[in-house]
Amino acid sequence: MDVTELYPADLVYEHEATEATGVPGPVIRQWARREKIRKFPGNGRLTGQGHEYKTMYALPEIEERAKTYRPMPQRAPKAA
């Protein structure tokens, strides 16, 4: 997907992408770190709890990758 095909409404924050696709936030950040999706600077709006959103992601790219996403089952912790 080319950057020129994106509209401002397509850019969402991590928690909004998680709600829309069901993919956990750490997975979205990992995809961005591995350059499978692009990240964009946020507008710095405050959440009301002293934190601000810093990174936006393209929702169409996340939706495209979410089609093949399979959650990995976690191993049971070892008995002590």
Side-chain angles (χ1 to χ4, degrees):
M1 170 173 275
D2 192 34
V3 177
T4 58
E5 297 174 2
L6 295 173
Y7 293 99
D10 290 337
L11 298 178
V12 294
Y13 292 103
E14 177 188 319
H15 70 282
E16 296 169 337
T18 299
E19 292 172 7
T21 61
V23 177
V27 173
I28 294 171
R29 289 193 305 270
Q30 185 71 28
W31 288 345
R33 209 171 14 255
R34 293 179 179 172
E35 298 181 357
K36 295 182 179 187
I37 61 172
R38 286 180 291 243
K39 57 184 179 178
F40 302 92
N43 62 4
R45 75 175 180 193
L46 296 176
T47 64
Q49 299 163 351
H51 300 284
E52 56 185 275
Y53 300 122
K54 299 203 182 266
T55 308
M56 298 183 90
Y57 304 95
L59 187 59
E61 289 181 343
I62 295 172
E63 288 173 337
E64 184 177 321
R65 294 200 62 78
K67 292 177 188 174
T68 59
Y69 171 72
R70 301 270 186 265
M72 290 290 280
Q74 298 299 307
R75 291 188 290 170
K78 287 185 175 181

